[in-house]
């Protein structure tokens, strides 16, 4: 007869996500996971697989729960540029917040730590980035069609520039204790939309 799990796998996954987000992949050992999750090593392996598989599942969970409103924000009817500006400013505020300073963004952290040598992590990073860049591009195309963005601007290139800026805001926000640094950069970038 199969034994029933004595822990909630969803809660354990969320707990693992938080630990990986705080420490990173390499700095989190299996012993750390056992202590933090409060479950045995064998149960972790049986439920989630290896540490790497658990990390990838944590990334998937992060992607499911992080910023689900982005597409909604950028696809509202009416003028599109105010929504684009609001999203960039929100990223800047989040990057400058004390909470984000402690952990940063799991996707950005993974891009720096694992993506260069871990194809599975790199695929998840790219997918997450596409989920930010694509709605930005769509909103900018709509803004151009509505006459908000000059015809000589390239919506795709602008979306990519804003996306790269937003990722950079997260990196700088994590490392800097000067919130004006990220806010000023965001505001300067937004002048390209005028």
């Amino acid at each position: 007869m199969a034994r029933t799990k004595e822990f909630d796998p969803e809660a354990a996954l969320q707990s693992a996500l938080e630990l990986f987000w705080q420490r990173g992949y390499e700095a989190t050992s299996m012993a750390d996971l056992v202590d933090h999750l409060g479950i045995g090593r064998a149960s972790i392996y049986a439920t989630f697989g290896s540490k790497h598989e658990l990390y990838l599942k944590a990334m998937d969970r992060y992607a499911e729960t992080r910023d689900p409103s982005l597409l909604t924000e950028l696809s509202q009817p009416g003028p599109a540029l105010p929504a684009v500006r609001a999203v960039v400013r929100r990223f800047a505020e989040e990057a400058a917040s004390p909470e984000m300073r402690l952990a940063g963004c799991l996707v950005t952290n993974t891009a720096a730590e694992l993506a260069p040598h871990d194809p599975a992590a790199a695929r998840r990073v790219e997918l997450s980035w596409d989920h930010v860049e694509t709605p930005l591009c769509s909103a900018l195309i709509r803004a151009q069609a509505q006459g908000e963005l000059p015809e000589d601007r390239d919506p795709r290139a602008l979306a990519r520039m804003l996306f790269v800026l937003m990722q950079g805001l997260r990196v700088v926000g994590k490392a800097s204790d000067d919130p004006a640094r990220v806010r000023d950069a965001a505001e300067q970038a937004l002048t390209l939309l005028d």
Side-chain angles (χ1 to χ4, degrees), residues 46-182:
T47 304
F48 302 109
S50 67
K51 173 183 150 182
H52 186 256
E53 290 171 304
L54 176 55
Y55 188 83
L56 296 176
K57 288 175 181 161
M59 282 193 72
D60 292 343
R61 167 62 59 87
Y62 182 85
E64 291 167 5
T65 59
R66 191 79 181 139
D67 228 353
S69 63
L70 185 67
L71 180 61
T72 303
E73 287 177 70
L74 292 171
S75 61
Q76 293 294 314
L81 283 186
V84 171
R85 287 187 177 96
V87 165
V88 172
R89 287 178 176 132
R90 180 169 56 81
F91 267 67
E93 288 303 314
E94 288 173 0
S97 74
E99 301 81 33
M100 282 300 280
R101 217 171 154 242
L102 296 174
C105 166
L106 182 66
V107 174
T108 305
N109 297 348
T110 302
E113 183 182 12
L114 295 179
H117 56 81
D118 183 332
R123 277 191 301 279
R124 283 165 172 81
V125 166
E126 284 291 334
L127 183 62
S128 177
W129 286 350
D130 286 346
H131 285 186
V132 176
E133 186 181 311
T134 300
L136 274 172
C137 185
S138 295
L140 291 169
I141 289 169
R142 202 171 81 248
Q144 197 168 54
Q146 294 172 169
E148 300 170 72
L149 187 65
E151 285 296 317
D152 65 343
R153 303 293 167 80
D154 180 346
R156 173 153 311 282
L158 278 173
R160 288 186 167 167
M161 185 277 306
L162 290 173
F163 163 73
V164 169
L165 168 85
M166 291 158 59
Q167 293 305 301
L169 294 174
R170 288 175 163 174
V171 172
V172 172
K174 184 175 178 176
S176 176
D177 62 357
D178 181 4
R181 183 171 277 143
V182 295

